[in-house]
Amino acid sequence: MIKRRSLIRLAGPLAAAVALPRYAFAQGAYKSEYKMSTVVPPAFAWGKGGEIFANLVRERTGGRINIKQYPGASLVQGDQTRELTAARQGVIDVLCGAPINWSGTARELAVFTLPFLMPDHKAWDAVMNNSALMNEYFDMVRKAGAEPLAVGETGYRQISNSKRPITRPEDMKGLKVRVVGSPMYGDIMSAMGANPTFMSWADAQPALASGAVDAQENPLEVFLAAKIHTLGQKYVTKWNYSNDILLFAVPNQIWTSWTPADQKIVREAAQDAARQQVQLVRKLFDEDAQRVAALGVEVHVPTPGEMKTWQTETRRPYARWKAQFQPTFVSKIEEVVASTRKA
Ligand code: X2X
């Protein structure tokens, strides 16, 4: 098959030369289906964000842009760390994911997950609503090969385990903790004396069930939706140590194939979906400790003193990873967060 898209790419400069609107050519390139990857399905708030987005786009384009959701990162055989690479290669057409998963491909995009960087939603909102900051971040996304459309929230990540309540750093010693494919999360767990093991979300659940690992960290809405308590996880500590954005983005080669009018529709749909998704996550966050406790899980909410200890424990990996991301950008985030502490 002759690649229609490569013909169109050739036609692009020609079209510009004869002053024809480029989209007259691009329009022919529309696919019958745009494949969107999400790690979790719509039963989870962040999978739901993807579903809302796809539905809005379908409605508002009259079906011209038909986004189909593939949960379980199934387009990359469950290996969520390959999502961004697959998007660059044309295997994934739409991203609705947590950049922490793409640390191996575009490390700097995971900057928001630095430990205890944004201690609460007040800090989080101040950062996300700071347009200068977010424009700078969006430029990093563009450099990584995708057009950023909107950001939602995957949620504050909490530790759970099968062995004992975690209230002090000593309690972490020797615990085998499953983490996602982010070396930073591995460093954080090692700094606390635990033994991190990297595995995908698909592999994590059997590993918890068999006892191959003792612990995991995820937002409690994920803990609830995936029924992690049935996998022997009896203790939860709600320490809000890290929170990632949910990034809605479209790889450049797909983005530029759409008309400006459709780009606008898609961007607005992503923004609307992100807003709804954040509302969902926040509502769940407010109730999650109670709901998890109702399942017979022991939930510990750290005291302010305990929170200070956790922050001290993660100071070293924080400094190391701040240097690995873009340190000046991190400093700007820190300033915005600090301004919310005074108010
Ligand atoms: O794999 C995980 O832990 C999950 C679902 O939270 C992510 O995709 C980062």
Side-chain angles (χ1 to χ4, degrees):
M1 189 180 77
I2 297 186
K3 295 254 165 55
R4 247 175 122 188
R5 255 192 295 151
S6 50
L7 287 181
I8 285 143
R9 227 173 273 135
L10 286 175
L14 186 68
V18 295
L20 275 177
R22 190 188 169 117
Y23 62 78
F25 291 86
Q27 252 174 341
Y30 279 36
K31 295 185 176 187
S32 57
E33 175 186 302
Y34 292 94
K35 297 185 195 312
M36 173 174 67
S37 179
T38 59
V39 177
V40 290
F44 299 60
W46 99 50
K48 190 76 186 168
E51 183 184 72
I52 295 170
F53 175 45
N55 287 340
L56 288 177
V57 170
R58 199 173 303 109
E59 273 164 39
R60 295 177 186 178
T61 61
R64 223 172 20 258
I65 297 178
N66 171 34
I67 297 176
K68 180 158 184 226
Q69 182 168 12
Y70 289 81
S74 61
L75 295 168
V76 283
Q77 292 72 47
D79 182 357
Q80 65 224 57
T81 64
R82 283 172 39 221
E83 279 183 328
L84 183 59
T85 309
R88 287 171 173 174
Q89 292 168 343
V91 175
I92 288 173
D93 303 315
V94 179
L95 291 162
C96 177
I100 191 76
N101 286 325
W102 316 327
S103 297
T105 320
R107 173 186 293 166
E108 67 283 2
L109 299 188
V111 59
F112 299 115
T113 59
L114 273 167
F116 302 107
L117 172 63
M118 292 180 280
D120 53 28
H121 281 127
K122 191 174 173 192
W124 173 274
D125 288 339
V127 171
M128 296 303 149
N129 294 326
N130 187 305
S131 47
L133 250 180
M134 291 314 283
N135 284 338
E136 202 174 328
Y137 181 76
F138 279 4
D139 280 340
M140 295 180 210
V141 178
R142 289 190 187 100
K143 280 203 192 95
E147 178 61 24
L149 306 178
V151 291
E153 179 186 340
T154 57
Y156 282 102
R157 301 180 75 88
Q158 324 295 2
I159 186 114
S160 76
N161 85 100
S162 58
K163 301 281 187 212
R164 53 184 170 261
I166 297 175
T167 61
R168 315 159 299 163
E170 292 72 45
D171 300 325
M172 293 290 287
K173 295 265 177 302
L175 279 185
K176 262 186 272 160
V177 186
R178 174 270 170 180
V179 288
V180 240
S182 148
M184 184 186 73
Y185 281 170
D187 267 7
I188 294 170
M189 295 304 158
S190 300
M192 293 182 182
N195 301 328
T197 313
F198 297 94
M199 62 181 79
S200 70
W201 177 237
D203 292 339
Q205 297 165 80
L208 289 166
S210 70
V213 295
D214 308 313
Q216 64 89 42
E217 47 73 61
N218 248 299
L220 292 185
E221 80 98 351
V222 170
F223 186 97
L224 286 161
K227 302 188 169 57
I228 299 295
H229 68 289
T230 63
L231 308 178
Q233 296 289 286
K234 299 194 202 107
Y235 307 97
V236 162
T237 298
K238 189 170 178 177
W239 60 5
N240 299 337
Y241 91 113
S242 182
N243 189 352
D244 204 0
I245 60 169
L246 179 67
L247 182 64
F248 295 74
V250 174
N252 291 335
Q253 72 275 15
I254 298 292
W255 183 248
T256 52
S257 75
W258 290 338
T259 66
D262 280 340
Q263 288 177 346
K264 183 164 181 282
I265 293 174
V266 174
R267 190 184 300 280
E268 286 170 3
Q271 287 164 348
D272 291 346
R275 256 190 300 274
Q276 291 186 43
Q277 189 271 338
V278 170
Q279 274 173 10
L280 264 177
V281 163
R282 297 284 169 94
K283 186 171 179 295
L284 291 161
F285 180 82
D286 289 342
E287 306 164 349
D288 61 14
Q290 251 178 315
R291 287 179 53 198
V292 171
L295 299 169
V297 174
E298 196 175 315
V299 180
H300 178 68
V301 179
T303 63
E306 287 169 5
M307 289 301 290
K308 277 230 166 65
T309 307
W310 294 122
Q311 276 164 38
T312 309
E313 288 292 303
T314 52
R315 216 173 266 154
R316 260 212 247 163
Y318 184 101
R320 193 174 322 130
W321 283 88
K322 178 176 174 178
Q324 302 253 347
F325 296 133
Q326 296 188 11
T328 52
F329 184 69
V330 177
S331 297
K332 288 180 202 168
I333 300 177
E334 289 168 348
E335 273 167 39
V336 173
V337 172
S339 72
T340 66
R341 301 304 92 178
K342 288 170 209 136

